[in-house]
Amino acid sequence: MEMKKRISLELRNRSPAEVRELVVDSCRSADGEVEGVTEEFSALEVLSMVNVGLGSLAKLPALPKLRKLEVSDNSISGGLDALAEKCPNLSYLNLSGNHIKELSSLQPLQNLKNLKSLDLYSCGVTAADGYRDAVFRLLPQVVYLDGFDPDDNEVPESNDEDDEAGPPGDEDEDEDEEEGSEVGLSYLMKEGIQVSLAVVSSSEDDDAPAQGEKRKRDADDEGDDDDDE
């Protein structure tokens, strides 16, 4: 499927300005350039164009809010100059599986001051001696290269569930509520037993006079029978 048609489908009756994430992986670019993505995508934060036949990013439009760009498995060999000008807030860039062979090809990324994570898996440049140290020296703003920092600490996984979990402290409050419910239930059950016992005791006390009167009447009846005899 052509890239322009795929983007049209991905819009799903939305205007480009409403789209924050756009994924057009495995479609085809007719001329090896970015197609269908325009400056109208002004709110775009995540753009994924994996395996679409890109040979250049020269026609990438200005996307001031873009922070994540996935362009792995294409044929990009250089021409990264446009990124700093058009995507100044880019913090993650995946160029894995492209034709980047020289360290000098990465030099334009020095102008991406917010770039924190860069992936270059399966690019020719990774075969160079001292590749990792050289990239960290060239791009001091980069914290993670191919998923690891200079001390070989792996990049932490982002946890989307944190945003859905509510503000800090809610979990403790929920636990306190549960414990309070359990204590309250135990208390009520205990009180319920005591109330039941009290009811039984009260019933027995109420029955005692009646039983006494019955025994007295029975005794009086026996006395009358003796007098008759």
Side-chain angles (χ1 to χ4, degrees), residues 96-128:
S96 301
N98 279 281
H99 297 171
I100 297 173
K101 300 178 181 180
E102 303 294 334
L103 194 63
S104 58
S105 299
L106 302 173
Q107 193 165 352
L109 300 182
Q110 290 177 330
N111 296 319
L112 282 172
K113 302 304 182 182
N114 295 311
L115 186 63
K116 300 301 180 187
S117 184
L118 174 65
D119 286 344
L120 295 167
Y121 293 110
S122 301
C123 289
V125 68
T126 62

Side-chain angles (χ1 to χ4, degrees), residues 4 10 49 56 68 70 79 82 92 105 116 122 125-126 158 160 162 168 171 191 195 199 207 210 218 222:
K4 288 183 178 180
E10 291 293 332
M49 300 182 289
S56 170
K68 183 175 182 179
E70 295 261 9
Y92 173 81
S105 299
K116 300 301 180 187
S122 301
V125 68
T126 62
S158 60
D160 296 335
D162 290 344
E171 185 176 348
E191 288 299 305
V195 170
V199 171
D207 290 343
D218 291 343
E222 289 177 0

